[in-house]
Amino acid sequence: MAPVGGTAVQDHVALAEIELCGELIIAASAAEDRLSLESIDEVLKVTEERDASGE
């Protein structure tokens, strides 16, 4: 039985991964063809992360 009193645990990393998967699904469903690697990077904001880290 689950404890009563609002002791829910949230895994912020898992929630972020689920959000990214959702973004990819939306982009893929809106695309006419397969997503290119560049499109996937854009959806996942990979280049923004690289720019912010100084790579």
Side-chain angles (χ1 to χ4, degrees):
M1 177 179 242
V4 179
T7 59
V9 176
Q10 291 187 2
D11 184 341
H12 298 286
V13 173
L15 292 173
E17 289 179 3
I18 291 167
E19 185 176 341
L20 290 173
C21 287
E23 294 294 328
L24 280 174
I25 292 168
I26 291 168
S29 66
E32 292 181 13
D33 205 3
R34 298 183 95 178
L35 293 177
S36 66
L37 294 178
E38 292 80 19
S39 297
I40 293 171
D41 285 350
E42 184 178 323
V43 170
L44 298 178
K45 301 176 182 158
V46 172
T47 55
E48 291 176 18
E49 291 294 322
R50 286 185 189 147
D51 293 342
S53 69
E55 289 184 18

